[in-house]
Amino acid sequence: DYPDHIDYYFSLAEVQLNQSKYQDAIKTFDQVESKIGLNRDLIIQKERIYLRLGKVDEAAKELEKLIKDNPMDMEAYSMLLEVYQVNNFPDKALEVIQRMKAVDADNPSVSLGLAEYYRGKGEKEQSFNELKKAFQSPQLGPEVEIRILMSYLPLVGNNPEMMEQALLLSKAMSEAHPNEAN
């Protein structure tokens, strides 16, 4: 009765999601997108549904829409990178890192991505060097750095190398954010 009321589509999609009718929800979100155009929240919602369905390529296509719309959007690249890293597509992850580098080589997300890539390949020294480079950037938020440092806690007890890395990262963080109390 009211095809122009976008809120109804969102309500329908919510019901479809609650009933695990994921493909139907995607179709409903596609209808919304055709009516309102590109919408970041909508794309992220569809990306999550595709991942829930195990359709990594479809999830990536959704994020590529954000990148196409704004090729400078490092957050969109980071989300795409995470999709590939979490789903064990290291070659595709590396391609995204190279694209990120072309946009903003000094962005700490590039170094974090490379650190994860090298860690996955067992290249510990290169991984740590990239991680340290990211920590030295004032652009990387201290909350991200603290979360990474917290992941070191279970590793430092009996491993002097991990303790040394954690201390070096802590020092880099304090130098990059001298006014951050944490």
Side-chain angles (χ1 to χ4, degrees), residues 156-174:
V156 298
N158 296 325
N159 191 330
E161 181 185 350
M162 288 290 137
M163 176 62 89
E164 184 180 337
Q165 285 184 9
L167 291 172
L168 286 171
L169 292 176
S170 296
K171 183 178 182 200
M173 182 178 107
S174 65

Side-chain angles (χ1 to χ4, degrees), residues 140-148:
L140 186 63
E143 62 282 345
V144 173
E145 294 171 334
I146 289 170
R147 194 170 60 242
I148 292 170

Side-chain angles (χ1 to χ4, degrees), residues 107-167:
N107 191 298
S109 296
V110 173
S111 294
L112 288 177
L114 282 170
E116 181 63 24
Y117 174 78
Y118 289 132
R119 189 183 66 76
K121 292 210 151 283
E123 298 175 21
K124 293 178 184 177
E125 187 175 335
Q126 282 183 291
S127 175
F128 179 71
N129 288 338
E130 289 296 334
L131 192 56
K132 190 167 61 173
K133 183 178 175 184
F135 267 63
Q136 292 168 338
S137 171
Q139 286 181 295
L140 186 63
E143 62 282 345
V144 173
E145 294 171 334
I146 289 170
R147 194 170 60 242
I148 292 170
L149 281 171
M150 295 300 282
S151 72
Y152 270 79
L153 286 178
L155 307 173
V156 298
N158 296 325
N159 191 330
E161 181 185 350
M162 288 290 137
M163 176 62 89
E164 184 180 337
Q165 285 184 9
L167 291 172

